Amino acid sequence: MPLMKTYYVVKPLIPRRVQLLLRRMRMRRMLPGCRHAWPVCPRAGRAPDGWTGWPGNKRFALVLTHDVDTSRGQDRCERLVSIEEKLGLRSALFFVPERYSVSSSLRHQLVSRGFEIGVHGLKHDGKLYSSREVFENRAVRINHYLRQWNCCGFRSPAMHHNLDWLQRLDIAYDASTFDTDPFEPQPQGMGTIFPFHVPGNGDHDGYVDLPYTLPQDSTLFILMKEKGSGIWREKLDWVVRHGGMALMLTHPDYMEFDGRPAFDTYPAAHYQEFLEYVQSRYAGQYWHALPRDVARFWLTHQTKQEELTDYAEPRGHTLHA
């Protein structure tokens, strides 16, 4: 964590192109040693104890989420959700309350159209977990936005997380983890493609954690420079075979809807092509749900089964300060 703190101190001084170049170099060095656990971590496919299946006896769950990191991303939200609407799909969009001016009209419009809104950190400056005091102070503001926006979901920027500290938030679910992603600042994955319940600690009731289980778009298309959705399809097929949750995390900030992509964007067509693949190959076989609905389902069905056995933290899970 000290190295991470140093990085976020100097990050504003490093040009964006240089940041991406350094991250690409790091990924190229790491990738050969990660093939055994990414994009597929074999042990993550084991169903939790007492698992009885998804609603409607569907083979898997499909959950679409987006982090809106900047005002540029907010400006592109309409183009993004229009793709999903045309396919009869809906998603959850997580906005950063105090990094840019979040449009209240956009939030209300999205909700009225069947989309979900969530809170994405507070300032997106890498300092949320820098100390317990900082987190406690910011938790007050985050809870304010959760109430003001009438939402129940949270995701930390850069997938930083401390599942114990998150008890301070008034949430039904957190989405700041992943099954496997060795390229993240906190690389320890949860080791599961299923949701899991984080029990309360006395003062709080606990919450459901929803790990993303398909690689982030920024990893595939900005850092790895993939030319299509092949890795997404490969991972999805594996998740389906194991009956898990296919939870996507993409960013409208990085999607290019017109013209030639820039150094830090990719064609939005990659995302649309993947959604069309899901619908054509697995028509009628998946439960398409918003994160809040998955959390509600897990709390009312699977959590009862988990409580019948001694609770164990998900495989690979460590708490980080």
Side-chain angles (χ1 to χ4, degrees), residues 63-109:
V63 186
L64 308 177
T65 73
H66 312 288
D67 287 353
V68 186
D69 288 349
T70 64
S71 58
R72 180 175 80 171
Q74 181 172 241
D75 292 341
R76 298 180 180 187
C77 283
E78 177 58 37
R79 299 289 297 274
L80 169 59
V81 300
S82 292
I83 291 175
E84 295 170 341
E85 282 184 318
K86 290 176 182 177
L87 297 173
L89 301 171
R90 294 296 185 271
S91 61
L93 297 95
F94 294 80
F95 294 90
V96 187
E98 296 185 4
R99 188 182 198 185
Y100 51 87
S101 178
V102 178
S103 169
S104 59
S105 62
L106 175 62
R107 287 192 291 104
H108 293 309
Q109 181 188 123

Side-chain angles (χ1 to χ4, degrees), residues 65-284:
T65 73
H66 312 288
D67 287 353
V68 186
D69 288 349
T70 64
S71 58
R72 180 175 80 171
Q74 181 172 241
D75 292 341
R76 298 180 180 187
C77 283
E78 177 58 37
R79 299 289 297 274
L80 169 59
V81 300
S82 292
I83 291 175
E84 295 170 341
E85 282 184 318
K86 290 176 182 177
L87 297 173
L89 301 171
R90 294 296 185 271
S91 61
L93 297 95
F94 294 80
F95 294 90
V96 187
E98 296 185 4
R99 188 182 198 185
Y100 51 87
S101 178
V102 178
S103 169
S104 59
S105 62
L106 175 62
R107 287 192 291 104
H108 293 309
Q109 181 188 123
L110 289 171
V111 170
S112 70
R113 291 157 65 180
F115 293 85
E116 180 182 346
I117 299 301
V119 175
H120 186 33
L122 185 66
K123 299 177 180 293
H124 210 296
D125 59 0
K127 299 178 181 179
L128 181 59
Y129 297 93
S130 59
S131 72
R132 185 63 182 258
E133 181 181 5
V134 169
F135 184 87
E136 294 283 351
N137 289 336
R138 293 193 176 192
V140 175
R141 297 293 297 159
I142 292 170
N143 283 333
H144 163 75
Y145 290 108
L146 287 164
R147 291 190 298 270
Q148 185 181 75
W149 296 359
N150 192 30
C151 58
C152 63
F154 177 80
R155 178 180 280 144
S156 302
M159 306 310 289
H160 296 164
H161 53 270
N162 182 312
L163 302 190
D164 183 36
W165 292 7
L166 285 168
Q167 300 277 2
R168 302 297 298 173
L169 301 185
D170 300 328
I171 54 176
Y173 72 88
D174 166 66
S176 307
T177 63
F178 41 85
D179 64 331
T180 178
D181 195 338
F183 312 114
E184 285 299 295
Q186 291 181 222
Q188 293 85 355
M190 300 296 101
T192 181
I193 54 173
F194 292 86
F196 59 91
H197 182 238
V198 179
N201 57 11
D203 296 330
H204 302 275
D205 295 333
Y207 57 90
V208 174
D209 212 276
L210 305 177
Y212 70 76
T213 59
L214 301 184
Q216 290 193 44
D217 58 345
S218 53
T219 299
L220 296 183
F221 306 122
I222 307 303
L223 299 182
M224 294 180 65
K225 291 294 186 180
E226 288 290 309
K227 301 303 182 183
S229 60
I231 293 179
W232 270 344
R233 296 196 302 269
E234 171 191 341
K235 181 63 179 291
L236 173 71
D237 293 343
W238 184 85
V239 170
V240 173
R241 289 196 297 272
H242 291 80
M245 173 181 64
L247 193 152
M248 297 195 74
L249 166 52
T250 59
H251 304 75
D253 313 70
Y254 304 141
M255 294 185 182
E256 186 60 62
F257 296 89
D258 297 305
R260 186 175 181 179
F263 73 95
D264 61 348
T265 63
Y266 70 93
H270 293 345
Y271 179 62
Q272 181 172 341
E273 290 165 2
F274 175 75
L275 296 181
E276 291 171 347
Y277 171 80
V278 177
Q279 292 192 321
S280 63
R281 177 157 185 173
Y282 296 109

